């Protein structure tokens, strides 16, 4: 069994706690050759980061048992499709790590956290986090669903946190709109309808059933909105649309 103590960040260089990416086996080259996020023949590559080795070990042991997941050795961590950050709470060190991961276009980030207030939620979304799971709910099945959703380009938030985020964003004054919003403040009816359903907590499959479109079409429409408005993920798109009065 390879050592779990190799680190993905140098505390001496960053001045922050060490967050380690851990895997029992190196990733084969074939695992890096994905076809598409919606139709992959192989396993989702995952890197796990945590300052606390006990937290890291708990998540790694859960995912290690699932054939859908391939945990990467730290030498390959930057090529992971999904990066999971496991913490007690979001502080400046965690935000710095999330920012670093956001700059890596090869990965999408999920957060497994013990406590997360509204302010911290907005902060992690701004850091590019695609999905959040409470640690108390992080059993093997929920962790796997989180990883697969992130790999498929979906955003995941607990219902109560999404509600808090929408309330917070909706309370912002329209006078705070940035110049970009003034020139991009239009959505097609289909885009607005799908974003509205995302805001109500519906996932890709549910939106597809309600709109009679394929799941691939739903993903493409939402991806187009996110790309056109230069946003980070679905939650960010919903917040942006509400703030600008687009839905």
């Amino acid at each position: 069994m390879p050592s779990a103590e190799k680190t993905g960040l140098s505390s001496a260089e960053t001045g922050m706690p060490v967050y380690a990416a851990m895997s029992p086996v190196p990733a084969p080259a074939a695992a890096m050759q994905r076809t598409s996020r919606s139709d992959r023949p192989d396993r989702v590559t995952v890197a796990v980061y945590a300052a606390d080795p006990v937290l890291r070990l708990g998540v790694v042991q859960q995912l290690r048992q699932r054939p859908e997941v391939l945990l990467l050795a730290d030498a390959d961590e930057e090529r992971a499709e999904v990066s999971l950050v496991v913490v007690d709470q979001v502080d400046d060190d965690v935000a710095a790590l999330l920012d670093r991961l956001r700059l890596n276009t090869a990965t999408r980030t999920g957060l497994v956290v013990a406590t997360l207030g509204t302010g911290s939620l907005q902060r992690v979304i701004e850091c590019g986090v695609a999905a959040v799971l409470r640690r108390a709910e992080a059993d093997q099945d929920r962790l796997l669903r989180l990883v697969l959703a992130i790999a498929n380009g979906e955003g995941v938030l607990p219902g109560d946190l999404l509600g808090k985020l929408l309330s917070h964003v909706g309370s912002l004054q329209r006078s705070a709109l940035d110049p970009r919003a003034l020139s991009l403040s239009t959505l097609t009816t289909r885009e607005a309808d799908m974003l509205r359903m995302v805001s109500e907590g519906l996932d890709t499959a549910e939106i597809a059933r309600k709109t009679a479109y394929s799941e691939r079409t739903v993903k493409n429409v939402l991806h187009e909105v996110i790309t056109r408005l230069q946003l980070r993920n679905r939650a960010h798109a919903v917040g942006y649309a509400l703030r600008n009065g687009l839905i």
Side-chain angles (χ1 to χ4, degrees), residues 47-73:
V48 178
Y49 297 82
D52 185 335
V54 174
L55 296 182
R56 183 179 66 246
L57 183 60
V59 170
V60 167
Q61 286 182 332
Q62 297 270 38
L63 293 177
R64 178 185 289 151
Q65 304 172 44
R66 302 306 297 242
E68 303 93 336
V69 172
L70 179 63
L71 291 164
L72 296 185

Side-chain angles (χ1 to χ4, degrees), residues 138-205:
D139 59 22
Q140 185 180 110
D141 289 338
R142 287 190 178 95
L143 281 169
L144 179 63
R145 286 199 296 270
L146 185 77
V147 167
L148 296 181
I150 295 171
N152 282 324
E154 300 179 6
V156 179
L157 287 177
D160 63 311
L161 290 182
L162 179 59
K164 289 179 181 178
L165 174 65
L166 298 182
S167 296
H168 176 71
V169 172
S171 68
L172 298 176
Q173 297 295 323
R174 285 185 63 98
S175 60
L177 297 181
D178 58 80
R180 180 187 63 183
L182 298 177
S183 61
L184 294 175
S185 58
T186 57
L187 293 173
T188 67
T189 301
R190 182 170 69 169
E191 289 170 344
D193 287 343
M194 288 187 184
L195 276 180
R196 192 172 296 109
M197 283 183 253
V198 172
S199 76
E200 294 168 357
L202 277 65
D203 62 20
T204 298

Side-chain angles (χ1 to χ4, degrees), residues 193-241:
D193 287 343
M194 288 187 184
L195 276 180
R196 192 172 296 109
M197 283 183 253
V198 172
S199 76
E200 294 168 357
L202 277 65
D203 62 20
T204 298
E206 292 169 327
I207 294 173
R209 286 195 295 271
K210 279 185 171 290
T211 60
Y213 291 112
S214 68
E215 291 186 32
R216 184 180 295 276
T217 297
V218 172
K219 291 177 183 178
N220 288 342
V221 169
L222 293 173
H223 178 74
E224 166 60 24
V225 173
I226 291 167
T227 301
R228 187 172 76 243
L229 300 182
Q230 301 177 36
L231 304 173
R232 298 188 182 95
N233 49 50
R234 292 186 184 188
H236 194 187
V238 168
Y240 184 90

Side-chain angles (χ1 to χ4, degrees), residues 33-55:
Q33 298 174 355
R34 303 285 171 192
T35 55
S36 72
R37 288 192 180 274
S38 60
D39 183 22
R40 59 168 51 80
D42 44 16
R43 294 182 287 174
V44 178
T45 52
V46 178
V48 178
Y49 297 82
D52 185 335
V54 174
L55 296 182

